[in-house]
Each structure stands twice: as C-alpha cells, then as structure tokens.
C-alpha cells in the first residue's frame, strides 16, 4: 500500500510539471488516478459460482415460508459445460416452505457493472412455470433492485433482463435474485382465496451460464412511474406521497418486449412547481404550498410515462391532541400513546370497501377509510379493558352528511378464540355496536366518547349482547351506505 | 470490355487502401467504387421535402390500382407535415395511429419519379429506422414504367433497405423482377452484431453496374447479384431487368403481409429519419 502511494506521489509531481505546460492533460491525469474501481467480473455461475459468497445461495426468510431445501447444483444437466443450478420449487403444502427464492451475492466489495447492459442466463423447467428473476438486491441496501417475470420453457432458452441504467451500478453486490412458487396447472390461482393454491404442483428448473453481458441489442422503449398511469390527487400541505409502480419497458433482440420493475434509484424525479411540492431522490412527493404541480421522472435521460398531478388544497388540521394521561389509557391507535402490537387497520374488510390507508400529514398519522361496507381493526391478541369505562375516537366524515356509521367492539369470548367474537358460533358471540352517525360532521374532526355499556346493537357478524371487556379483539366500523371517514386516537380510558 | 477493365482496376486500388488503414473486417471486400456525386438531398432546408427532387405520394394505393399497395398495408399516405417534414438536417417520415380515409394509420411515401431517374450508379442513404412490430420502412428503387407500357414486376425493383420493426438487428436487400417477385424475390438478410438498427443511423446502399448489384450496410458488402444468380434462382426462366432508369422511394408502411399488424407493444408515432440520400456515378 505504501509503495503504491509513493508511486502515485511521483506521478503527481511528474504530471503536475507537464500540466503546468499543457493544461489539456488534466483528463489523462485523472484516468491514471482511477483507483476506486471494482472488478467488472461478468460471470455469476458457469459450472461453478464465480466470486460469490461462500454460502452461494442466500434464501428469503424461512419465517415467511421460503423453502431453503430446494437449492443446489446438478452435474447431470447443463446448457454448457458440466453443471447447472437446480431449483426444486416446492408444492404448496411442503412443510419446509411453499416457495423458494433468494439471492446470489458478490463475495467482495461489489462489482462494476457499468459496462454491461443486461443480465442473461439460460434456463429450462420441467413445467412452463413463471418465475421472478433480477439483480441489484443484496439484502443490505437493495438500492438498485431490478426484477422481471419470465416464463420457463421445457427446453433450454436464453433470457435477458436489461439493466435500466448501468451507469448506476459501479459497486453492486446483488448479482442475482429469483423467486418461484408452485405451478398453477389449472390456472385458477386467486390471491384473495388461499385455498385456490392448494391444487398447484411443485416442479424443477435449471439455470446455467448466468452472467452480465454487453449485448447492444436491448432498447429502452420507455420508463414508467405509477405503473404508467396519469394520476391526479387532492392533497393537503404536509402530506407525503410515494411515487411507486416504477419500471421500464425494453425491446429485446428477438423483437419481444419485456417489462422490468426498477427501484427509485434509477430515476430522477422532478416537480413542475417546487413551491407546491418537493420530491426526494427516492420519489417521495411532499406538499409544501397551495397550488397544482406535476411530478414526473426520467430514467437515463428519457421521460417516464405516467405522472402524478397534485392539487394542494391548503393545510390539513389533524385530530385534536388527546388530553387523557397516558397512564390512564389503553390505546389502540394514536400518535400520543403506546399502541397495541401489530396494529392492522384492515384485518378484514367487506367486499365493497374501496380503500383503507394510513395517512401522515405534518408528522401525525390517521386512518383513512373510503366507501366502506365493513372493516375490522385488529392487533396481536386482545386487550383487557375491564378497568375502563369509556372508549374515545376522533372521526372526520369525508362522505356526505347522511352517511351511516356504526362502531362495534368485538371480544374473543371466554375461550379466547379470535374467530368466535365475529360469529355466534357456540353461543360465544358477545359483541355490540353503537351508532355514531348523528354525531358526525362532514369535513370536521369530531371527538366522540362512548361509555362501554352503550355497545348494545347486534353486530353485522351476528354477535349480540354487551361485549366482554376483558378480551376485546376488534374494533369494527360498519356502514350501510358506503361511508368514508378519517379516524384517529382510538383508546379506552 | 474497356469499361470492365476499369472496374477491375479501381477496386484493387481501394481495397489496397482498406488494407493499409486496417479498419475493414474483411480486407478482400470491395464495397463501393463510384465516387462522383451526381444527385443528393442532404435535407438541409426545414419544411416540406424539396419539390424539385421529391413527389409526395398520397393515398392507400387505390389510385394506382393496388389498394393496400399490393401488400394489404394498413396505412394511408399523406403530405401532412405531421407525416413528412424536414427538420434540423433530417427528413422525418412519421407513422401515426390515426383513422383517415378508412385506414387506421397514416404515414408518408416520397419518390423521385420523373424528377430524378438513373440507370446504374451507387445509391446510398443514411437512415435511422423505427421500432416495433408492424413497422416496415424502406429505401428502394423502382424501374420507370415507360409511360405505362411496363407493369410491375417487369419494371424491376431494387430494395436497398427493408426492415421489420420486430426484428431490430436485421435488415434485408432484395431484387424483384419477372419470375422472381413478391415471395419469390431474391433477397438476403444482414444482421448487426451487438447493435440494433433502431438505435442509431446506418448507411444503406447499392452499387449497381450493368451486370451486377452490390448491396452494402455501413461499409459491409453482404450481397452481390448478377444475371447468373437470377438464372440460377429461377432455373434460367427469369430475365435481368436492371438496365433501365430507376427512381428512388422512401416510405414507412404499417402492417400488411410481410410485417404483420402492429401489436399492443407497438407505440406510435414511429419515425424514420433520413440524414441524406446520395447518388454517385
């Protein structure tokens, strides 16, 4: 190291002398001094892993169902050479996990991929399953993640995943990512119905000759944001909106086109009116003043399809700060108190409910429900509020004044079964509702305090009677005419 | 005979030059020998193409007796500046998705018929082609029809550059004549290594002499056709019709028998850019 330093010192003197005469040498000097470049190794797997970590395959978290047992190499199958990567995709009921996926990571400080334009590999499957593949995910920063879905063929076929802007990849550790779930032979998978996956089957696929390449034959057709939609929203000063749905459509050599998902780091975001909203490098638009602005983005200098128009409609008043002392409160949802664990604003919801979201404006969050039939707020376990007499909530109606809204408290019942309070199974259906419609005012926060003895209406789920206060498990909102509203500060006291 | 001698000597000199410069992938190749510029449009004046050089052809071919231009093409040609214009030193032909005159697409086609026609010579253009399935741009020559006394394919056709928007790395050069037209035409593909034709400008040309047509791309000769080739391809049936004056055509067709229709991934508008067209003797 020391020797190197001396060497450069000498060069510096030498070049400094020259540059005193020829100022145009600057460029060459800097080229001599390029020290911090990382290896540009293209290969990831040929017959063996190339320059990857010792563990080779780093799985997604098994706690979320990732199967770590189906990964290996196969000396009986290869597109080229003697070996390939073999992945056994588990069946849906595999006790070791129902999907397989993970990453390959560079073992060093990362690679300089700026000279390449695509990740390529050969693959074949026993079935024509669809898998997700990509790069730029290292399970540390995931800062340049790119992925795309490809369909396997039963014979070896070459796949190309274009790099959206290779100049960003000067030190990348995330060499490869894949994720695969069971094969939907009957084409009946329905994400809202877990049982529809039960008839799926496991299969095997192989990957070989995995590398980055400079093809010259890919073409960026258009980048896009917001999944190529033109969105327009009304928003308050202080609110934040993440620009998501980021990706790009590429043309490939064979005339086929491919869409890739790409992380925000490949994009440059801009706002047409910086007095109305600013936008961060990661694509978060923050409303700062009244007016209208358009948020757009470019990738590699090319304007992305899709944009967000923000009509900033002034400032937003958050719900009033609660005044109860924290020691006297069991809080379900509030920025002012410690809340229940694993709060979920939509543990369940009726089929006609439009939208459930959490909004943060000027540092304070509230829940936004749009056009609901019913929604259930849930959390880990239940709360014992037998020492409390009241429940508080702040509600702002955003639909018309005639909106109907009933709040229900539902308990888990004596057997502590989360399902029991929702239906009257086994006579364990104690629960009750309170109609708060008459207290609501459109466009204004209303603080509502209800005695726990007043939850006496029969519930939509068939519960009746006053709920058991020692194990309240859900707060439910029900509307027979699609009410929309904001809620904050739900707590017992 | 003397003329032929001259042709032999000239290539020798040029190929020697190529050898010395070392830039040519195949040193034995003789690409172009004619350097005396006799006609050109450099597209330096903004606006409609120079009317002393170009005719703007409109319609869907019905007027010419070949609706769909004989290929079931989906466009109608217009002289609208949105379809054809010269800007910043480049001729721009734009194919648009818009309904007009019963067609779903508009585009443009220009030719030099009766304005500039020439027998033999080197015809060259520098072109950037469009992208996407269904796009079919071309730079080609058609034989003079002798005041209607000759009909296609008897007039002869030399396609210097044809390209299909869903095969971005290949283009092809073709001749059509009696007995070797349409699907039976004599054609050859040229494939770019590590590049696409729609990513930038490329030079497409032919050097056409009394008994030979040489096709080249960016200085690579990839097809050389002679009357003997035509005879071989057609079992001696066909006739070499390339010894009469031809005129130049530039166009983008959309859809039709050869490229197939655009698909949901084909974005419009799509443009062909032409930096120049030059003819040498």
């Amino acid at each position: 190291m020391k020797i190197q330093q001396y060497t450069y010192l000498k060069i510096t003197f030498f070049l400094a002398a020259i540059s005193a005469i020829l100022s145009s040498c600057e460029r060459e000097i800097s080229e001599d001094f390029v020290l911090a470049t990382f290896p540009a190794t293209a290969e990831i797997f040929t017959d063996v892993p190339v320059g990857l970590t010792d563990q080779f395959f780093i799985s997604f978290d098994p706690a979320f169902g990732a199967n770590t047992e189906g990964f290996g190499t196969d000396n009986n199958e290869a597109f080229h050479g003697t070996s390939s990567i073999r992945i056994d995709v588990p069946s849906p009921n595999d006790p070791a996990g129902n999907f397989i996926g993970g990453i390959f990571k560079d073992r060093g400080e990362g690679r300089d991929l700026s000279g390449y334009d695509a990740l390529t590999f050969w693959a074949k499957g026993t079935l024509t399953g669809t898998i997700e593949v990509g790069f730029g995910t290292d399970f540390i920063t995931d800062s340049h993640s790119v992925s795309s879905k490809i369909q396997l063929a039963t014979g070896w076929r070459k796949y190309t995943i274009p790099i959206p802007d290779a100049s960003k990849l000067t030190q990348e550790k995330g060499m490869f990512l894949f994720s695969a779930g069971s094969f939907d032979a009957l084409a009946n998978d329905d994400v809202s119905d877990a049982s529809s996956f039960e008839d799926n089957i496991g299969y095997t696929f192989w990957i070989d000759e995995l590398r980055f390449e400079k093809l010259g034959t890919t073409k960026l057709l258009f980048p896009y944001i917001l999944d190529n939609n033109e969105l327009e929203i009304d928003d308050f000063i202080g609110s934040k909106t993440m620009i998501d749905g980021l990706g790009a459509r590429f043309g490939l050599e064979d005339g086929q086109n491919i869409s890739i998902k790409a992380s925000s780091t490949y994009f440059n975001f801009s706002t047409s009116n910086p007095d109305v909203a600013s936008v961060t490098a990661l694509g978060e638009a923050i409303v700062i003043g009244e007016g209208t602005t358009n948020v757009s983005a470019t990738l590699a200098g090319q304007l992305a399809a899709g944009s967000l128009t923000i009509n900033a409609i002034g400032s937003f008043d958050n719900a009033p700060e609660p005044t109860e002392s924290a020691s006297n409160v069991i809080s379900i949802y509030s920025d002012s108190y410690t809340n229940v664990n694993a709060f979920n604003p939509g543990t369940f919801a009726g089929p006609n409910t439009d939208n459930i979201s959490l909004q943060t404006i000027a540092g304070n969050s509230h829940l936004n429900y749009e056009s609901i039939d019913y929604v259930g707020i849930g959390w880990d376990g239940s709360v014992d509020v037998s020492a409390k007499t009241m429940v508080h909530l702040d509600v702002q109606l955003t639909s018309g004044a005639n909106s109907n809204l009933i709040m229900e408290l539902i308990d888990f019942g004596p057997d502590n079964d989360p399902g029991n309070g929702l239906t009257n199974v086994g006579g364990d259906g104690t629960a009750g509702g309170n109609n708060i419609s008459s207290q609501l005012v459109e466009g204004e926060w209303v603080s509502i305090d209800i005695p726990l003895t007043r939850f006496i209406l029969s519930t939509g789920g068939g519960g009746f009677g006053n709920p058991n206060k020692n194990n309240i498990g859900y707060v439910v909102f029900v509307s027979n005419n699609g009410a929309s509203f904001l809620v904050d500060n739900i707590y017992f006291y | 005979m003397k003329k032929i001698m001259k042709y032999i000597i000239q290539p020798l000199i040029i190929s020697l030059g190529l050898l010395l410069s070392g830039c040519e992938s195949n040193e034995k190749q003789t690409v172009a020998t004619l350097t005396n510029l006799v006609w050109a449009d450099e597209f330096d004046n903004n606006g409609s193409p120079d009317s002393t050089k170009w005719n703007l052809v409109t319609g869907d071919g019905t007027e010419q007796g070949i609706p769909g231009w004989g290929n079931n093409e989906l466009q109608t040609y217009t002289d609208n500046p949105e379809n054809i214009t010269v800007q910043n030193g480049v001729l721009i032909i734009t194919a648009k998705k818009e309904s007009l005159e019963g067609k779903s697409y508009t585009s443009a086609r220009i030719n030099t018929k009766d304005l500039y026609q020439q027998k033999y010579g080197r015809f060259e253009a520098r072109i950037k082609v469009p992208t996407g399935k269904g796009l079919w741009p071309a730079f080609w020559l058609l034989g003079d029809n002798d005041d209607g006394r000759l009909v296609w394919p008897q007039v002869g056709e030399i396609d210097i550059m044809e390209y299909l928007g869903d095969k971005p790395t290949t283009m092809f050069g073709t001749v059509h004549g009696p007995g070797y037209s349409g699907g039976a035409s004599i054609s050859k593909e040229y494939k770019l290594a590590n590049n696409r034709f729609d990513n930038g400008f490329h030079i497409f040309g032919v050097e056409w002499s009394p008994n030979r047509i040489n096709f080249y791309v960016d200085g690579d000769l990839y097809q050389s056709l002679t009357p003997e080739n035509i005879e071989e391809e057609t079992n001696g049936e066909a006739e070499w019709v390339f010894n009469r004056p031809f005129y130049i055509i530039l166009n983008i067709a959309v859809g039709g028998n050869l490229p197939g229709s655009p698909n949901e991934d084909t974005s419009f508008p799509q443009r062909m850019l032409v930096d120049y067209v030059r003819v040498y003797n």
Side-chain angles (χ1 to χ4, degrees):
Chain A
M1 197 60 197
K2 249 184 182 170
I3 292 166
Q4 259 189 345
Q5 278 174 343
Y6 278 123
T7 311
Y8 290 118
L9 207 62
K10 267 192 268 179
I11 292 170
T12 310
F13 284 131
F14 177 61
L15 291 176
I18 292 180
S19 67
I21 307 162
L22 297 169
S23 62
S24 65
C25 284
E26 296 258 322
R27 227 181 141 131
E28 283 141 51
I29 293 168
S30 67
E31 275 170 17
D32 280 344
F33 274 81
V34 173
L35 288 174
T37 55
F38 296 89
T41 311
E43 290 76 22
I44 303 165
F45 181 92
T46 50
D47 281 329
V48 289
V50 180
L52 302 181
T53 53
D54 287 340
Q55 40 186 149
F56 183 10
F57 169 61
I58 308 172
S59 175
F60 286 123
D61 192 343
F64 293 99
N67 186 318
T68 60
E69 294 173 10
F71 182 87
T73 55
D74 191 335
N75 291 330
N76 297 317
E77 287 283 353
F79 170 74
H80 182 78
T82 57
S83 179
S84 66
I85 294 163
R86 172 181 167 141
I87 292 155
D88 294 321
V89 184
S91 64
N93 55 4
D94 190 321
N98 62 12
F99 78 100
I100 186 163
I103 61 167
F104 300 169
K105 194 169 160 181
D106 182 64
R107 71 181 298 130
E109 289 302 303
R111 299 187 193 176
D112 182 356
L113 304 177
S114 58
Y116 304 112
D117 59 16
L119 171 80
T120 68
F121 58 90
W122 290 79
K124 73 167 184 178
T126 54
L127 295 171
T128 57
T130 296
I131 62 173
E132 184 150 18
V133 293
F135 54 89
T137 297
D138 62 4
F139 288 168
I140 306 285
T141 64
D142 296 348
S143 57
H144 291 101
S145 62
V146 166
S147 71
S148 185
K149 287 186 173 162
I150 58 160
Q151 186 176 19
L152 297 162
T154 53
W156 288 105
R157 185 177 287 183
K158 189 175 183 181
Y159 295 88
T160 298
I161 311 298
I163 301 174
D165 181 355
S167 71
K168 308 270 187 187
L169 301 181
T170 53
Q171 188 186 0
E172 182 53 53
K173 293 183 186 177
M175 295 292 103
F176 184 59
L177 168 142
F178 73 90
S179 178
S182 53
F183 185 72
D184 180 18
L186 300 180
N188 64 352
D189 282 0
D190 174 0
V191 285
S192 66
D193 177 9
S195 70
S196 69
F197 290 81
E198 287 169 6
D199 54 17
N200 288 3
I201 47 179
Y203 67 103
T204 296
F205 66 92
W206 293 266
I207 290 175
D208 200 4
E209 300 304 307
L210 178 62
R211 56 163 54 83
F212 293 96
E213 279 193 80
K214 175 76 175 177
L215 296 173
T217 54
T218 65
K219 184 181 179 74
L220 175 59
L221 300 176
F222 60 93
Y224 56 84
I225 62 173
L226 299 164
D227 287 320
N228 197 3
N229 291 308
E230 309 279 337
L231 297 185
E232 183 165 356
I233 57 170
D234 296 333
D235 225 338
F236 297 101
I237 291 167
S239 65
K240 298 175 177 179
T241 304
M242 203 69 196
I243 309 291
D244 55 11
L246 307 177
R249 191 109 176 118
F250 276 86
L252 302 179
E253 175 173 356
D254 61 3
Q256 301 294 308
N257 296 336
I258 186 171
S259 286
I260 57 158
K261 289 192 281 185
S263 62
S264 58
T265 47
Y266 290 99
F267 290 80
N268 286 322
F269 297 91
S270 61
T271 171
S272 64
N273 189 342
D275 294 332
V276 174
S278 63
V279 58
T280 67
L282 295 177
E284 187 173 52
I286 303 164
V287 180
I288 50 179
E290 277 186 56
T292 295
T293 189
N294 187 274
V295 180
S296 58
T298 59
L299 188 154
Q302 203 163 322
L303 182 66
S307 69
L308 177 69
T309 301
I310 299 172
N311 300 309
I313 49 178
S315 53
F316 176 83
D317 292 326
N318 278 309
E321 286 275 311
T323 52
E324 277 310 314
S325 90
S327 61
N328 194 28
V329 161
I330 293 173
S331 176
I332 305 300
Y333 179 81
S334 173
D335 287 321
S336 301
Y337 302 116
T338 303
N339 298 318
V340 288
N341 286 327
F343 171 84
N344 184 338
T347 300
F348 54 86
N352 298 315
T353 296
D354 260 6
N355 187 36
I356 300 170
S357 60
L358 193 152
Q359 296 180 333
T360 303
I361 298 177
N364 187 282
S365 301
H366 59 257
L367 308 174
N368 175 35
Y369 294 101
E370 293 174 40
S371 191
I372 68 155
D373 43 5
Y374 61 90
V375 293
I377 294 173
W379 53 87
D380 259 3
S382 60
V383 291
D384 180 355
V385 297
S386 43
K388 307 299 177 190
T389 58
M390 303 287 284
V391 64
H392 171 95
L393 71 164
D394 296 304
V395 183
Q396 180 176 143
L397 195 65
T398 54
S399 53
N402 63 345
S403 299
N404 171 276
L405 191 60
I406 292 171
M407 177 179 181
E408 297 174 354
L409 296 180
I410 292 174
D411 65 68
F412 282 179
D415 59 0
N416 225 25
D417 180 345
N420 276 356
L422 298 172
T423 59
N424 189 19
V425 175
D428 187 22
T430 49
N434 182 290
N435 193 324
I436 58 174
S437 310
S438 64
Q439 300 175 70
L440 303 177
V441 180
E442 187 182 353
E444 275 182 35
W445 285 109
V446 176
S447 294
I448 300 174
D449 295 88
I450 311 167
L452 296 180
T453 53
R454 297 285 297 280
F455 286 86
I456 52 174
L457 297 174
S458 296
T459 67
F464 58 88
N466 209 263
N468 291 308
K469 295 204 302 183
N470 63 348
N471 63 355
I472 299 290
Y474 303 102
V475 172
V476 178
F477 293 102
V478 181
S479 175
N480 64 14
N481 61 2
S484 299
F485 54 97
L486 315 177
V487 186
D488 201 359
N489 303 318
I490 307 171
Y491 57 87
F492 296 92
Y493 66 101
Chain B
M1 214 36 202
K2 257 184 187 169
K3 226 176 197 171
I4 291 166
M5 282 297 286
K6 211 171 168 186
Y7 268 85
I8 294 166
I9 292 164
Q10 224 166 0
L12 271 174
I13 294 165
I14 286 179
S15 63
L16 195 67
L18 290 172
L19 259 172
L20 291 173
S21 71
C23 294
E24 187 52 55
S25 53
N26 179 356
E27 285 90 349
K28 286 175 185 163
Q29 215 172 57
T30 305
V31 176
T33 62
L34 303 175
T35 54
N36 176 34
L37 189 67
V38 291
W39 186 93
D41 197 338
E42 302 289 330
F43 302 111
D44 285 336
N45 297 316
N46 287 355
S48 189
D50 183 346
S51 61
T52 67
K53 291 177 175 165
W54 299 103
N55 306 297
L56 276 56
V57 180
T58 58
D60 69 350
T62 302
E63 202 181 303
Q64 288 77 3
I66 41 171
W69 298 102
N71 301 301
N72 295 315
E73 295 166 24
L74 303 178
Q75 81 289 340
T76 188
Y77 292 125
T78 84
D79 54 8
N80 186 329
E82 291 187 5
N83 294 115
I84 178 114
T85 187
V86 174
Q87 275 178 25
N88 304 316
V90 178
L91 171 75
I92 305 170
I93 295 179
T94 305
K96 297 177 68 183
K97 187 171 187 176
E98 61 176 345
S99 294
L100 187 72
E101 296 161 1
K103 294 287 180 177
S104 306
Y105 301 89
T106 60
S107 182
R109 167 163 166 160
I110 59 174
N111 70 38
T112 63
K113 185 171 163 49
D114 299 327
L115 296 173
Y116 187 79
Q117 306 194 151
Q118 181 173 311
K119 182 168 72 170
Y120 312 138
R122 173 177 154 210
F123 295 74
E124 182 181 284
R126 186 166 178 267
I127 296 173
K128 181 172 182 286
V129 292
T131 301
K133 181 161 174 65
L135 275 306
W136 180 15
F139 166 45
W140 49 301
L141 308 179
L142 204 52
D144 175 65
N145 69 4
D146 197 13
D147 291 328
R149 280 183 281 274
L150 292 176
V151 294
W152 191 89
Q154 186 65 42
V155 293
E157 174 179 328
I158 303 170
D159 300 324
I160 303 169
M161 181 282 291
E162 286 185 279
Y163 163 90
L164 303 179
D166 62 342
K167 291 185 176 162
T169 61
T170 56
M171 56 74 64
F172 47 101
T174 307
V175 295
H176 302 256
Y180 51 101
S181 68
S185 58
I186 296 165
S187 185
K188 191 169 178 188
E189 276 192 355
Y190 177 87
K191 186 170 163 63
L192 272 184
N194 303 318
N195 204 351
R196 303 165 58 104
F197 282 108
D198 59 355
N199 265 348
F201 282 93
H202 294 271
I203 293 169
F204 304 97
V206 293
E207 190 157 274
W208 170 27
S209 51
N211 283 308
R212 184 179 293 277
I213 304 169
N214 284 343
F215 291 76
Y216 61 92
V217 175
D218 296 330
D220 278 356
L221 178 68
Y222 69 95
Q223 177 172 231
S224 185
L225 293 176
T226 62
E228 290 72 36
N229 295 128
I230 304 294
E231 263 184 52
E232 281 166 25
E233 294 278 344
T234 61
N235 295 324
E237 300 285 308
E239 175 194 352
W240 180 261
V241 291
F242 308 100
N243 39 31
R244 305 174 49 254
F246 278 50
Y247 60 89
I248 303 165
I249 306 174
L250 288 163
N251 72 302
I252 302 178
V254 181
N257 302 345
L258 189 59
S261 295
N263 62 21
E264 70 281 0
D265 269 338
T266 311
S267 68
F268 285 92
Q270 282 292 330
R271 295 182 177 86
M272 170 162 80
L273 309 182
V274 186
D275 181 24
Y276 63 75
V277 180
R278 292 172 187 162
V279 182
Y280 300 89
N281 263 345

